[in-house]
Amino acid sequence: MENIKEIKEKLKRYRPNSWDSIPDIELYMDQVIGYMQRQHIGFEGDENLTPAMINNYIKSNLLPRAKGKRYNRQHIAYLTAICLLKQVLSVGDTGLLLKEQLEDKDIQCFYENYLKTLDDEFNITSEKIDESATKNQLAQKALELAVSSYANKLACEKILKILAKDNPE
């Protein structure tokens, strides 16, 4: 079982690769799946990406089509963000958020902003956790984090609805 110090350390340290560290060669589906296991920052092993999920993201226009059967750095950047966003947003909301984020910037700029945002938020969360907390204090912190997550999710969904109304297709 992980202890609190390990959880804080993971929140502080584990990050997806930077843009320049993502391979600039084209990858086949099985290579993408393997690579994404290292990109994924979740703590549980059951959140892995599958070929069917990638195909569904393409069908849902969340992810550009592969060139032939090969995926490039841009695909990895999209998938890295999608894997996190799908934990809290619907496919439709994820698509809207990506569309809005990419409206005036390229995928590299989006990805670099995504990584900075992720780093900031993970560090903030890590700082909220006290390694010396008692069991009751940890239970209270878990409640606070859960309620905060819900409040953030609600606000995000409302903002995305406003954005959707402002930009009808």
Side-chain angles (χ1 to χ4, degrees):
M1 183 170 122
E2 291 180 309
N3 66 37
I4 299 304
K5 185 176 181 176
E6 289 170 342
I7 293 169
K8 284 183 62 102
E9 189 61 29
K10 282 184 177 182
L11 286 168
K12 285 182 184 178
R13 205 167 33 110
Y14 288 107
R15 299 292 185 270
N17 284 333
S18 68
W19 178 264
D20 292 331
S21 297
I22 297 173
D24 63 353
I25 60 171
E26 293 182 332
L27 304 172
Y28 288 106
M29 177 73 78
D30 60 332
Q31 294 170 311
V32 170
I33 298 296
Y35 188 83
M36 288 305 298
Q37 289 174 347
R38 294 184 300 274
Q39 279 288 89
H40 196 323
I41 55 177
F43 292 169
E44 304 300 323
D46 61 349
E47 298 174 1
N48 290 330
L49 187 65
T50 65
M53 292 164 78
I54 291 175
N55 290 330
N56 286 334
Y57 298 151
I58 292 169
K59 288 177 189 170
S60 300
N61 294 318
L62 291 178
L63 182 66
R65 292 208 172 277
K67 294 174 178 120
K69 293 188 176 200
R70 301 183 115 170
Y71 298 83
N72 59 32
R73 180 183 282 171
Q74 290 81 10
H75 292 101
I76 298 295
Y78 273 102
L79 286 168
T80 301
I82 290 167
C83 284
L84 180 141
L85 295 172
K86 75 174 183 129
Q87 300 300 316
V88 292
L89 297 175
S90 68
V91 170
D93 282 349
T94 298
L96 176 60
L97 180 55
L98 289 173
K99 178 182 175 258
E100 291 294 327
Q101 283 286 315
L102 291 161
E103 188 170 289
D104 62 349
K105 58 186 128 183
D106 65 16
I107 186 66
Q108 181 178 352
C109 289
F110 161 76
Y111 186 71
E112 289 168 352
N113 178 59
Y114 165 82
L115 290 180
K116 182 185 179 331
T117 303
L118 184 144
D119 188 55
D120 292 346
E121 294 302 318
F122 271 46
N123 283 324
I124 289 168
T125 300
S126 175
E127 291 304 315
K128 291 179 181 179
I129 301 170
D130 180 3
E131 292 176 42
S132 62
T134 66
K135 184 177 178 182
N136 285 341
Q137 290 169 328
L138 288 174
Q140 179 61 32
K141 184 54 63 184
L143 176 63
E144 290 169 9
L145 290 169
V147 171
S148 176
S149 295
Y150 183 67
N152 286 321
K153 183 179 188 308
L154 284 176
C156 178
E157 288 171 345
K158 296 296 184 188
I159 290 168
L160 289 172
K161 283 184 181 174
I162 291 167
L163 291 171
K165 287 179 187 173
D166 289 345
N167 295 310
E169 300 257 335

